[in-house]
Amino acid sequence: MKVRNFSIIAHIDHGKSTLADRLLHATSAVDERTGRAQMLDSMDLERERGITIKSSAVTVMHEYRGETYELNFIDTPGHVDFTYEVSRALTACEGAILVVDSTQGVQAQTVANAYLAIENNLELIPVINKIDLPAADPDGVSMEIEHVLGLPAEDAIYVSAKTGQGIPELLDAICEKLPDPAPSMGDKLRALIFDSHYDDYRGVVVFVRVFDGSISVGDKIRMMGTGRTFTVTELGRYTPFAQKLKTLGQSEVGYMVAAIKTLGDVRVGDTVTLEYDPAPEPMPGYKEPKQMVFCDFYPSSGDDEGGKRSDFESLREAVERLHLNDASFTFEVQHSEALGFGFRCGFLGLLHMDIVQERLEREGGVAIVQTAPTVSYIVDLNDGSTLEIQNPADLPDMSRVKAIREPIVKIEIICPVENIGDLMRLADSRRGSFRGQRFVSETRQILDYQLPLAEIIYDFYDKLKSITRGYGTMDYEITGYEVENLVKVEILINGEPVDALSIICHRSGAEGRSRAILAKLRKQIDRHQFEIPLQAAIGGKIIARETIKALRKNVTAKCYGGDITRKRKLLEKQKEGKKRMKNIGSVNIPQEAFMAVLEQEG
Amino acid sequence: MPTPPIQLSQYDDGPSLAAATRIVDGSSPDALYAHVPFCRHKCHYCDFYSLVDQRDRTEPFADRFELEAETIRGSIDASKIRTAFVGGGTPTLLEPPLLARVLAAIRAIPEETLDEFTVEANPETVSEAIAATLVAGGVDRVSLGCQSFQPDLLKALERWHDPSCVPIAVQRLRDAGIGRISLDLIFGIPGSTIDDWDRDLDAVLALEPDHLSCYGLVFEPGTPLAEKQRLGRVDAIDDSIESAMYDRTRDRLAAEGFEHYEISNWARPGEECLHNLVYWQEGDWLAIGPAAAGNLGGIRYRNLPRLDDWLDGTGLSPVVNVDQPSAVVASGERLMLGLRLRRGIDRAVLDGLVTGHAERQAAVERHLQRGNLVWHENRLRIADRSIMLADDILSDLL
């Protein structure tokens, strides 16, 4: 029997999941009555957002020219934040179907995903989808694919995943064009982990592709990266319904259950081998997940008291529970002057952050205040040691600091030609450096830039969308850390530095950001009996200043018989207000003031 | 006989006649406050209970007022009553015969002759007949709302009287035999300057009052003035100008021989308003008339603030907003009111109010250190320079 291991890759909303469904139907794996829409996506959230977050694998049988083919669909996450996961899933394949929407054309993630597949030496089948739509331009789009990716336009298969048009041709192409799995390199078990799920009943379910040897129920296995050992209790595959197997053999794809309690014990990209008969080398390409974007989550309580303990406990439960299903975000308890107790979380990227926040609110039932995202910095100290920090308050005294490095991304924007100028101005204003410009078609171009991650986590994507009226798409990839002229800006209130208000930013933008923060603080801090200077300083040098004028009047003029209770209550309110504030340098600072630096800039 | 404690939860929801009876019966007030809710026009800064265009109700008002006063007379110990005050609204909008009946009803309550009987008046309402009615009714003190002598500033307050009617009113009252006259002014009116304020002080001093109340304008929430401010149609003046106006007031009135005895009140020696001192020294006073507020036996209350419903009754008015401050709250109120008086609080009294309240004690010390509070002749008071920030200080002491 022949085996075809392949993924479907696409830009968001180009129809990947619908196409997967259609292929399952066409191979009779799912009949119309029992089939649910978009079989491969298991979470509501994924379905709503039209993206696939977690991959899984489905095995179906197909007859082609009198031969039975075992087709293993390996689903991939649809966003760049999961680039590493996508690349691991692609490693498990020999081929990929590159789906492009015939009304949208090549988009940023089309390109990014195609490159990943090419890097993994996958055979690509370009598929032009949604050809049933009136606005479809399959010929134009296949020319774009040829232009940008070098895949011959005549190789593209035109389909409508919705009507089923072109699906038989695609199935034939999968059998005909995609290569057989490569022969085994050795007889010792090597199975690549390309995904894992948490299941309330069975614990962690691990998805593997066996490259060498075979694995059986009862085997004692070892994860070669983490060194953890387990005993296999169940093996199987989804068709798409679970079908238990005794053994997974060479080049097969399936799932494994081995009494693994948490997702933290399993790393995508790790290699499974046998404890007593191990392979000499793991599969290449294993990496630890790396959190690049950070923000704080606090419970948003409706009352005046800020983060109540019980709200925090609900948040903690939600975070811990979600972490069972997604070990790729990190969390630690954080306390903020403004918001009380919460968690500082680390994410693979921006979308990952949004997804975690939504899932916490939706699945955990907690309302969340999210602070503005930050990146992690690497600080080189004079003594030769390095330090990684995410919080400006953790930055050591600048006299000990030799350099600060920040994460840099390579960004690829696909946009209408008429927006090129505006987008270049946007990228330039975000410390971007221009890397290149290519044609996709007569009307659209690819713009390559390199810029600091810190500059795109604010509102870059929103700006891009508004400049291009929704037509622009972007993709980014973190390329490393670079030394930049970064400074710690301290905020002083009445001469006292307030740690919780300090920020790290590029020197060129320090003055502007400082002024914006001071202006917000000026509005939030009540006037006192004395004039309050608000200052922003870099290494003791003042770069911006605001002043809160002294309060000259706070007195009730009339307080007669009928007024006393009401006036007393007004004073009690003033007193309570003062109590809730943080007193620094004899200035009462309200919680809202601390939000001045935590909030997204408007 | 001590008043049995009242279970407030029984009363704090709606108007209650039972609560009124429990509060008033057997009380022994030091003062009487009567409220007359009628106005010709609602001034835009005013947040007192008053009704416009209800002049057909003045006679039912007097009838009902007499019934309430009569009931009160029969149910209290009236031996301690020394002062009475008729406020509004505009009490002098009542036709002279009705005003006479109201005054008589009040005078019938106390056992002894009153030491002070004050009626509030708007200058434009003081006719010779009204002046004569007041004197005949036993009134010996009139508080006249002047607010300003400058038409454009009066207009900013939606106060429509002609400033020239003020000296006429003062003369009529004096001619009729009213011995004590107090005048009200407002400073800090939008658009006003220090020079404007000086001219107002000139005008009011020329009338040789015995007593002056000078109020910094307050944008009371819910008033048309506050609404205009919210809509940006009027701006409060800069608080440093307002503060300067206040300093000017203190300097000029001191030079003229007035004693500054409360944040907003000045008097010639011996001319303090005895009735208001009852409020500020936590005496007991009894309320008559719709929306009038009282304080008896440690319980604050307000008569029903709806004219129609009040008119429906026959005896005591049902009461609302019944509030019995706890010991801590009550001592906090005493600090608040005591420090609003310029003489401040005697050291021994103060000790009783702060002992056992570590937070309060620390706040007193802190404000002494900052110079906001000072000791003067063994009494604690707010420093002259900090009076305009009194609320900032007092809120820490509650």
Side-chain angles (χ1 to χ4, degrees):
Chain A
M1 186 169 59
K2 298 210 165 204
V3 176
R4 294 288 179 264
N5 295 317
F6 65 96
S7 282
I8 306 174
I9 53 179
H11 188 80
I12 288 171
D13 284 339
H14 279 203
K16 184 175 91 168
S17 296
T18 316
L19 181 63
D21 285 348
R22 180 55 71 178
L23 288 173
L24 292 181
H25 283 114
T27 56
S28 310
V30 180
D31 68 48
E32 294 289 345
R33 276 176 300 123
T34 57
R36 286 193 310 164
Q38 301 187 358
M39 208 58 223
L40 291 182
D41 287 357
S42 57
M43 282 187 298
D44 291 350
L45 181 61
E46 291 181 11
R47 199 163 300 125
E48 258 175 49
R49 293 177 75 113
I51 56 173
T52 307
I53 301 162
K54 281 290 173 189
S55 54
S56 49
V58 175
T59 302
V60 293
M61 299 299 164
H62 182 62
E63 297 289 329
Y64 175 65
R65 294 198 177 161
E67 260 193 286
T68 303
Y69 283 74
E70 176 184 312
L71 307 185
N72 294 312
F73 290 74
I74 291 171
D75 203 14
T76 59
H79 191 272
V80 66
D81 285 354
F82 307 101
T83 299
Y84 172 68
E85 282 77 356
V86 174
S87 79
R88 293 306 87 195
L90 295 180
T91 307
C93 304
E94 282 78 39
I97 298 172
L98 176 68
V99 181
V100 183
D101 186 327
S102 61
T103 66
Q104 305 286 316
V106 170
Q107 295 295 346
Q109 279 129 43
T110 313
V111 178
N113 283 318
Y115 284 169
L116 271 180
I118 292 165
E119 278 169 26
N120 281 290
N121 298 315
L122 265 52
E123 184 69 35
L124 280 175
I125 301 177
V127 166
I128 315 297
N129 191 19
K130 305 192 189 179
I131 54 166
D132 56 303
L133 294 180
D137 176 18
D139 294 346
V141 171
S142 45
M143 280 313 292
E144 285 186 1
I145 295 175
E146 181 170 323
H147 246 115
V148 177
L149 300 168
L151 303 172
E154 67 265 23
D155 286 359
I157 299 175
Y158 296 179
V159 309
S160 164
K162 196 170 138 200
T163 64
Q165 189 183 347
I167 295 298
E169 290 83 349
L170 174 57
L171 280 168
D172 290 352
I174 289 168
C175 297
E176 191 178 308
K177 288 193 176 169
L178 297 187
D180 293 327
S184 181
M185 307 285 286
D187 54 358
K188 312 284 191 195
L189 171 65
R190 287 203 302 174
L192 177 78
I193 299 175
F194 61 86
D195 196 14
S196 58
H197 292 176
Y198 182 79
D199 180 299
D200 279 341
Y201 303 101
R202 296 183 291 177
V204 177
V205 178
V206 181
F207 287 85
V208 293
R209 149 85 194 258
V210 179
F211 278 85
D212 303 324
S214 66
I215 184 169
S216 301
V217 173
D219 281 348
K220 182 136 190 204
I221 53 157
R222 166 190 289 275
M223 312 286 194
M224 296 182 80
T226 63
R228 303 291 307 265
T229 58
F230 302 95
T231 302
V232 177
T233 58
E234 184 183 331
L235 291 169
R237 59 187 176 195
Y238 289 91
T239 66
F241 308 105
Q243 179 188 54
K244 290 185 187 176
L245 297 171
K246 292 253 174 339
T247 298
L248 281 179
Q250 198 256 325
S251 80
E252 286 191 311
V253 170
Y255 70 84
M256 170 180 92
V257 178
I260 303 169
K261 293 205 176 58
T262 73
L263 283 178
D265 293 334
V266 180
R267 296 283 158 76
V268 167
D270 205 348
T271 304
V272 177
T273 192
L274 294 176
E275 168 75 350
Y276 301 118
D277 188 16
E281 291 283 329
M283 302 290 298
Y286 171 65
K287 278 195 287 184
E288 297 276 329
K290 174 117 181 83
Q291 288 72 35
M292 297 307 297
V293 175
F294 298 82
C295 78
D296 297 356
F297 291 141
Y298 295 94
S300 83
S301 46
D303 61 40
D304 288 342
E305 288 163 30
K308 274 193 312 189
R309 196 73 197 156
S310 61
D311 292 336
F312 172 70
E313 288 306 328
S314 318
L315 178 60
R316 180 200 289 278
E317 270 172 35
V319 166
E320 285 173 351
R321 176 150 186 83
L322 183 57
H323 199 256
L324 287 177
N325 288 296
D326 180 0
S328 59
F329 79 92
T330 58
F331 63 99
E332 60 183 56
V333 174
Q334 184 83 1
H335 181 262
S336 143
E337 300 295 355
L339 301 157
F341 281 94
F343 290 97
R344 164 139 290 222
C345 299
F347 311 95
L348 301 174
L350 281 175
L351 181 87
H352 187 209
M353 176 175 76
D354 287 349
I355 289 167
V356 169
Q357 190 236 317
E358 273 194 52
R359 289 187 66 184
L360 283 176
E361 295 205 305
R362 183 181 305 214
E363 295 165 24
V366 290
I368 288 172
V369 175
Q370 179 190 334
T371 61
T374 59
V375 300
S376 85
Y377 295 94
I378 293 175
V379 184
D380 298 325
L381 299 176
N382 288 327
D383 64 10
S385 62
T386 62
L387 198 67
E388 189 166 345
I389 63 160
Q390 296 113 39
N391 194 338
D394 298 335
L395 191 65
D397 190 83
M398 288 305 282
S399 63
R400 291 175 53 210
V401 174
K402 196 166 109 201
I404 304 175
R405 287 181 281 155
E406 67 176 328
I408 302 295
V409 299
K410 196 179 82 186
I411 174 172
E412 211 163 60
I413 297 169
I414 296 188
C415 65
V417 171
E418 64 265 29
N419 300 130
I420 289 284
D422 286 339
L423 287 173
M424 287 174 88
R425 265 187 293 282
L426 173 66
D428 290 344
S429 74
R430 300 297 173 90
R431 298 191 277 140
S433 58
F434 176 74
R435 287 300 145 104
Q437 193 174 358
R438 287 171 288 157
F439 275 95
V440 174
S441 64
E442 300 261 308
T443 55
R444 297 192 308 139
Q445 287 198 4
I446 297 180
L447 201 52
D448 291 316
Y449 262 86
Q450 176 174 302
L451 25 66
L453 177 61
E455 296 286 344
I456 64 166
I457 61 176
Y458 274 125
D459 53 358
F460 190 87
Y461 187 63
D462 293 340
K463 288 248 159 72
L464 167 92
K465 279 289 174 192
S466 88
I467 287 170
T468 61
R469 279 169 295 126
Y471 289 112
T473 55
M474 83 175 208
D475 203 276
Y476 70 90
E477 186 189 348
I478 291 162
T479 55
Y481 280 80
E482 281 184 17
V483 172
E484 288 285 341
N485 192 359
L486 298 172
V487 290
K488 178 184 184 180
V489 177
E490 286 199 303
I491 302 293
L492 294 86
I493 294 180
N494 204 25
E496 292 268 337
V498 183
D499 243 10
L501 294 176
S502 54
I503 55 165
I504 292 174
C505 66
H506 193 264
R507 187 176 287 275
S508 64
E511 209 181 308
R513 275 198 70 189
S514 301
R515 265 204 292 269
I517 289 170
L518 295 186
K520 279 192 192 171
L521 285 177
R522 194 168 70 90
K523 282 191 203 135
Q524 294 294 349
I525 298 175
D526 286 339
R527 294 197 289 161
H528 283 51
Q529 284 191 32
F530 44 89
E531 189 175 281
I532 304 169
L534 305 176
Q535 296 158 307
I538 298 173
K541 186 173 168 277
I542 306 296
I543 56 160
R545 188 192 160 101
E546 284 265 3
T547 305
I548 298 175
K549 279 185 11 182
L551 174 71
R552 299 302 303 278
K553 181 206 163 194
N554 179 12
V555 63
T556 301
K558 289 190 181 191
C559 190
Y560 296 106
D563 307 320
I564 295 168
T565 303
R566 193 159 55 97
K567 298 300 178 195
R568 189 243 303 151
K569 285 183 176 162
L570 281 176
L571 292 184
E572 278 170 353
K573 234 176 155 179
Q574 282 193 29
K575 181 189 180 180
E576 286 311 308
K578 283 190 230 176
K579 264 194 184 165
R580 279 204 307 278
M581 295 184 199
K582 174 90 180 159
N583 190 281
I584 296 174
S586 66
V587 176
N588 292 318
I589 306 173
Q591 293 188 346
E592 292 76 15
F594 291 96
M595 284 305 285
V597 293
L598 300 179
E599 270 171 354
Q600 303 265 23
E601 323 248 307
Chain B
M1 204 179 69
T3 323
I6 287 186
Q7 295 300 309
L8 290 179
S9 55
Q10 288 178 255
Y11 306 122
D12 57 11
D13 280 349
S16 167
L17 188 57
T21 309
R22 292 290 287 279
I23 294 166
V24 173
D25 270 7
S27 64
S28 54
D30 306 294
L32 299 175
Y33 175 74
H35 195 80
V36 180
F38 305 105
C39 276
R40 187 163 287 159
H41 163 81
K42 183 93 184 172
C43 305
H44 278 203
Y45 57 94
C46 173
D47 68 333
F48 286 98
Y49 179 67
S50 63
L51 301 161
V52 179
D53 293 331
Q54 300 273 352
R55 298 195 68 184
D56 57 327
R57 314 289 269 285
T58 53
E59 191 158 352
F61 172 83
D63 296 343
R64 174 71 181 91
F65 191 92
E66 284 174 338
L67 289 176
E68 185 177 353
E70 184 73 17
T71 311
I72 286 168
R73 197 160 68 115
S75 56
I76 64 166
D77 163 15
S79 64
K80 285 162 66 186
I81 301 172
R82 292 285 176 278
T83 69
F85 195 107
V86 186
T90 312
T92 45
L93 261 189
L94 291 175
E95 299 86 337
L98 298 178
L99 180 58
R101 285 171 58 194
V102 166
L103 297 176
I106 293 168
R107 255 182 106 193
I109 298 174
E111 284 175 16
E112 312 272 332
T113 313
L114 293 170
D115 292 340
E116 180 185 283
F117 190 179
T118 307
V119 173
E120 274 181 357
N122 279 4
E124 70 274 25
T125 62
V126 182
S127 61
E128 283 172 11
I130 286 286
T133 305
L134 291 173
V135 173
V139 172
D140 61 353
R141 188 173 180 275
V142 170
S143 173
L144 268 185
C146 307
Q147 321 315 357
S148 175
F149 287 84
Q150 296 167 76
D152 54 329
L153 297 183
L154 286 170
K155 199 176 149 208
L157 298 177
E158 297 275 331
R159 181 102 190 195
W160 295 101
H161 70 258
D162 178 348
S164 66
C165 72
V166 178
I168 296 167
V170 170
Q171 196 55 50
R172 280 181 185 153
L173 291 167
R174 289 204 168 117
D175 288 349
I178 297 290
R180 302 169 68 196
I181 289 178
S182 174
L183 301 176
D184 283 4
L185 283 180
I186 292 177
F187 62 92
I189 299 169
S192 65
T193 63
I194 297 255
D195 288 345
D196 289 328
W197 180 236
D198 262 332
R199 279 192 287 279
D200 275 344
L201 285 173
D202 290 341
V204 82
L205 287 169
L207 299 173
E208 300 183 333
D210 310 287
H211 185 280
L212 274 168
S213 300
C214 299
Y215 303 113
L217 181 67
V218 178
F219 291 76
E220 288 285 356
T223 61
L225 186 67
E227 182 59 15
K228 280 193 212 165
Q229 183 189 34
R230 196 183 65 80
L231 296 173
R233 282 160 50 199
V234 61
D235 284 324
I237 65 167
D238 189 288
D239 66 355
S240 60
I241 298 176
E242 194 175 333
S243 178
M245 288 174 171
Y246 188 69
D247 290 344
R248 180 72 121 245
T249 314
R250 293 196 303 118
D251 293 347
R252 288 198 59 185
L253 296 185
E256 294 282 339
F258 284 85
E259 278 175 19
H260 189 190
Y261 76 104
E262 196 261 358
I263 285 177
S264 303
N265 287 281
W266 286 260
R268 294 211 179 275
E271 293 296 329
E272 292 92 348
C273 178
L274 299 178
H275 182 86
N276 286 343
L277 284 170
V278 171
Y279 298 150
W280 298 329
Q281 293 172 344
E282 299 261 312
D284 277 13
W285 69 94
L286 192 143
I288 318 175
N295 179 50
L296 293 172
I299 299 169
R300 298 188 186 285
Y301 67 100
R302 185 180 293 278
N303 281 354
L304 202 56
R306 288 185 296 277
L307 183 61
D308 287 340
D309 294 345
W310 177 81
L311 285 172
D312 281 344
T314 53
L316 292 178
S317 165
V319 295
V320 295
N321 303 348
V322 175
D323 178 31
Q324 187 168 24
S326 66
V328 185
V329 170
S331 60
E333 278 186 1
R334 276 206 283 287
L335 274 170
M336 169 180 96
L337 295 168
L339 288 172
R340 286 182 61 90
L341 291 174
R342 294 304 296 132
R343 60 203 291 260
I345 299 174
D346 181 82
R347 192 185 286 269
V349 175
L350 182 84
D351 282 349
L353 298 176
V354 300
T355 306
H357 302 284
E359 203 183 316
R360 212 176 256 179
Q361 217 151 7
V364 169
E365 284 307 317
R366 194 167 69 242
H367 284 293
L368 276 167
Q369 265 173 26
R370 289 187 193 159
N372 290 327
L373 291 174
V374 290
W375 286 105
H376 180 73
E377 293 172 355
N378 219 28
R379 299 180 75 92
L380 182 73
R381 69 181 197 188
I382 296 177
D384 286 350
R385 67 171 179 83
S386 302
I387 304 173
M388 278 301 268
L389 298 167
D391 286 4
D392 208 34
I393 302 160
L394 296 175
S395 58
D396 290 341
L397 303 182
L398 288 181

